[in-house]
Amino acid sequence: MLRLSVGALRTRWQLFAGAVVAVALGVGLVQSGLQMLAATDRPVLPAGLSAYQRAQVREGYVGAATLLGMSVMLAVFLGVFIVSTTFGFMTVQRRREFGLLRLVGAPRGYLCLMVVTEAGLLGLVGSVVGLPLGVLATWAQSWLLMRLGMLPSWFEAPWDQGAVWAAMIIGVGTALAGVLAAAWRASRINALDAVVEGAAARRVMTGWRWFWGLSAAFGTVVLVIAAQAARDLVAGLMIGLVVMISGSVALSQLSPVVVPLVGRVPAVVVRGNLIADLARAGVLHAVRRSAATAAPLIVLVGLVVGLWGTFGSLAKAVGVEQERLITANVVVDHPVAPGPGIVAASTQTAVPIVVMRGKNTVYSEAIGIDAAAYQQTHRLRPRKGSLDRLTGRTIAIGPGMAVEGYKLGSILKVALGNRSVTVKVVAIMPETLDVSENFFIPRSLLPAGGRTETLVKLAAGATMGGRTVKEWAEARGEAQQRSNSGLFAALMGLAGIFTAVAVVNAVVMSTADRRREFALGRMAGLTRGQVVAIAVVESATVVVVGVVLGALVAAGALAGIAAGPYGLAALAIPWRLLGLIFAAALVVVGTAAALTACRAMSRRLGTY
């Protein structure tokens, strides 16, 4: 058995290459991620940092650990997906081989174990290849997280032998997890398949595939309707995250049915051209090939565009909400004295604060305000207590800490600058989308320094230089978006790399079955250029279909946001990102299709 498995890998190495690359990338990312997670869990901070600076560094470490954990899980998930696709496609191509083994007496368990052994060897090879990539990935991820401001410049992730062994185990485990379904299907092949291609070989949609696809599609439709009916932004955001996953699963499982159906639409535009008609026929009749290429694109576009749109909409909603909560007209970055044309001026100064509550210590920022001026320029009012009592040694809990369990009337010990004081909680503000305001204190408690801005409410007809409230609110939303954009750019790049491996892998594997098809085209009078053009146009059609279906999933995820309280004003559609993915997919898939078609025709006619 081992000799057969090794021989299969050696003779079909080109078809297994994509899965090996996926496992190697996954092992490298897991190794580097675990090394960096260990380093962030036990941070070594230089001497001389203040308590607030140490808290900021630790907060950055928490953000870095979150990103690293997400990248590790994403790498494992996509690795399993690619290995599963590879062996699923391979099982179909090797039905005659497996049928011959059954014909000479091989039991079903033997075939299953042989395929699992091939996957184990593939995982082992990928793990060995991935270890050097882990060193490079550690340097690359450290540099990226420093650029994003999550890690300090002195951060180092030392070599961790445990992370290496864990990455190798995960690499082999990823390959074994991805092959289970294909191994079971291989064990169901009969001896008759060695002689004639039965209906089972031609059937792409199995019973289980119909079940999971239709179940996920039904759940997606129900969730989209629920998000529309809820008319709540937070509920729409949470439901949208689930819709991205369920919708991607549904269309991926149903892709052998949906891709040819949608693939008829682009062909209508260019009907009548020989190359276009042959490419259309390839998309419609080579269902397995088209679905295998489109499925990774559906998942990529659905998840990445949906996530970017969801969190972009959240950031946009922050600006819309702030604009509606503010009654001022102008925002300036300096104190403003009372004067003609000024109805109210709320000067707000942000300073570092350390809040001690029992055994818990919070390092954050407090905003020094004048309660009367604040209430004249803001519509937001406390859900408990009153801002009128914010005088002397008192504190108000801001929207960012509204759900942290602070009690009205409780006593807190806080440190402001070099002074430590005891304050009483006199107000608790309601929760808002903007969580940057954590504590409010009277201006009499402010230490020296800080960041000051003033919200000015003008009389009718009065003017003043500075930013309008709309510009100020949009800037707050954009600042929140910038804090998320680096994280999602890293995840999007990782997902894009794995998707490129998956689609190129699908194109390479499918070309192995097309040598005879290309040769027949040549003998029918087609030139090499025409055959290559057919392959490229066919691939481009599948890319269009995959991106359209992925965009449909993303649209379903964003539907609940559009139905929320802020309507279309809070909806952020990442058109530029969608266009970038579409262009990159066309280039990658088109290039892979052209190169593999040229290689498939490298032999002379009559030798196929």
Side-chain angles (χ1 to χ4, degrees), residues 173-250:
T174 296
L176 294 177
V179 81
L180 294 179
W184 183 84
R185 286 198 296 271
S187 70
R188 310 312 298 170
I189 293 175
N190 297 313
L192 188 61
D193 287 287
V195 181
V196 63
E197 185 181 45
R202 295 189 298 269
R203 186 174 64 245
V204 181
M205 292 298 297
T206 62
W208 281 110
R209 190 160 189 164
W210 276 112
F211 172 77
W212 290 115
L214 292 176
S215 298
F218 176 77
T220 301
V221 172
V222 171
L223 287 171
V224 171
I225 294 174
Q228 293 275 326
R231 298 190 177 278
D232 180 79
L233 181 65
V234 176
L237 289 170
M238 295 298 102
I239 293 175
L241 294 175
V242 182
V243 167
M244 293 174 214
I245 299 173
S246 63
S248 298
V249 170

Side-chain angles (χ1 to χ4, degrees), residues 44-414:
V44 178
L45 304 182
L49 295 179
S50 66
Y52 182 70
Q53 289 173 324
R54 290 197 299 271
Q56 284 185 314
V57 172
R58 290 194 179 96
E59 184 177 349
Y61 279 10
V62 171
T66 302
L67 176 57
L68 291 168
M70 293 174 68
S71 66
V72 167
M73 290 187 291
L74 184 61
V76 172
F77 168 75
L78 293 174
V80 172
F81 178 82
I82 294 174
V83 172
S84 176
T85 302
T86 299
F87 278 93
F89 211 93
M90 198 77 65
T91 300
V92 176
Q93 292 181 328
R94 298 169 65 187
R95 289 189 73 89
R96 188 176 298 275
E97 174 191 337
F98 293 146
L100 286 171
L101 289 173
R102 293 281 291 137
L103 193 62
V104 297
R108 296 186 184 275
Y110 184 92
L111 297 183
C112 182
L113 189 57
M114 186 179 79
V115 175
V116 171
T117 303
E118 291 174 8
L121 292 173
L122 183 148
L124 187 60
V125 173
S127 298
V128 173
V129 174
L131 292 181
L133 295 178
V135 178
L136 180 62
T138 301
W139 174 84
Q141 290 196 98
S142 299
W143 174 83
L144 176 63
L145 292 174
M146 289 177 189
R147 288 291 302 270
L148 294 177
M150 294 182 177
L151 294 179
S153 58
W154 65 79
F155 175 81
E156 290 183 358
W159 179 264
D160 191 325
Q161 192 65 36
V164 174
W165 287 112
M168 292 190 68
I169 293 171
I170 291 175
V172 176
T174 296
L176 294 177
V179 81
L180 294 179
W184 183 84
R185 286 198 296 271
S187 70
R188 310 312 298 170
I189 293 175
N190 297 313
L192 188 61
D193 287 287
V195 181
V196 63
E197 185 181 45
R202 295 189 298 269
R203 186 174 64 245
V204 181
M205 292 298 297
T206 62
W208 281 110
R209 190 160 189 164
W210 276 112
F211 172 77
W212 290 115
L214 292 176
S215 298
F218 176 77
T220 301
V221 172
V222 171
L223 287 171
V224 171
I225 294 174
Q228 293 275 326
R231 298 190 177 278
D232 180 79
L233 181 65
V234 176
L237 289 170
M238 295 298 102
I239 293 175
L241 294 175
V242 182
V243 167
M244 293 174 214
I245 299 173
S246 63
S248 298
V249 170
L251 290 182
S252 295
Q253 291 295 310
L254 298 175
S255 56
V257 176
V258 179
V259 171
L261 184 65
V262 182
R264 297 177 184 272
V265 178
V268 173
V269 181
V270 290
R271 184 179 294 276
N273 181 274
L274 175 63
I275 293 176
D277 286 344
L278 290 175
R280 176 177 62 86
V283 172
L284 299 182
H285 296 291
V287 175
R288 198 185 304 273
R289 180 173 68 236
S290 302
T293 306
L297 291 173
I298 294 172
V299 175
L300 176 70
V301 175
L303 291 180
V304 172
V305 174
L307 279 172
W308 197 282
T310 296
F311 286 94
S313 297
L314 176 61
K316 197 172 181 181
V318 169
V320 175
E321 179 189 61
Q322 287 298 309
E323 185 180 356
R324 295 183 181 183
L325 290 176
I326 303 298
T327 60
N329 307 103
V330 179
V331 180
V332 296
D333 58 0
H334 55 81
V336 174
I342 298 176
V343 176
S346 176
T347 301
Q348 303 176 179
T349 303
V351 295
I353 187 173
V354 181
V355 179
M356 288 153 279
R357 183 178 56 155
K359 296 181 179 180
N360 297 325
T361 302
V362 177
Y363 299 88
S364 183
E365 277 190 338
I367 300 176
I369 62 171
D370 177 79
Y374 181 89
Q375 293 179 94
Q376 285 182 291
T377 55
H378 294 71
R379 292 190 176 93
L380 193 66
R381 294 293 181 268
R383 61 182 176 88
K384 291 183 180 180
S386 172
L387 287 179
D388 294 331
R389 300 170 59 191
L390 191 64
T391 58
R393 296 192 171 190
T394 58
I395 192 171
I397 308 302
M401 290 287 176
V403 296
E404 296 300 319
Y406 288 90
K407 303 291 185 182
L408 187 67
S410 60
I411 303 300
L412 304 175
K413 187 176 181 181
V414 302

Side-chain angles (χ1 to χ4, degrees), residues 392-564:
R393 296 192 171 190
T394 58
I395 192 171
I397 308 302
M401 290 287 176
V403 296
E404 296 300 319
Y406 288 90
K407 303 291 185 182
L408 187 67
S410 60
I411 303 300
L412 304 175
K413 187 176 181 181
V414 302
L416 293 162
N418 297 322
R419 186 169 55 146
S420 180
V421 296
T422 300
V423 294
K424 181 179 181 181
V425 177
V426 296
I428 300 176
M429 304 298 284
E431 188 179 9
T432 64
L433 298 176
D434 185 5
V435 294
S436 62
E437 297 178 337
N438 293 333
F439 300 99
F440 295 110
I441 58 174
R443 294 192 62 80
S444 59
L445 291 181
L446 283 174
R451 186 180 66 255
T452 297
E453 63 182 9
T454 304
L455 282 69
V456 183
K457 187 174 184 179
L458 300 173
T463 59
M464 175 181 286
R467 291 183 294 174
T468 65
V469 168
K470 182 177 181 179
E471 293 171 341
W472 172 81
E474 289 177 349
R476 291 187 76 134
E478 290 171 359
Q480 181 163 321
Q481 173 69 350
R482 281 194 299 272
S483 65
N484 293 328
S485 61
L487 185 147
F488 286 111
L491 293 178
M492 184 188 71
L494 176 60
I497 292 172
F498 275 93
T499 301
V501 172
V503 295
V504 171
N505 189 44
V507 171
V508 171
M509 287 191 301
S510 63
T511 303
D513 280 348
R514 305 188 71 182
R515 294 181 184 274
R516 187 175 183 83
E517 174 190 337
F518 291 156
L520 289 173
R522 291 291 314 284
M523 287 188 288
L526 295 177
T527 65
R528 286 179 181 270
Q530 286 176 318
V531 173
V532 171
I534 291 170
V536 172
V537 172
E538 181 182 327
S539 299
T541 302
V542 174
V543 167
V544 172
V545 173
V547 171
V548 168
L549 293 176
L552 181 63
V553 173
L558 298 177
I561 299 174

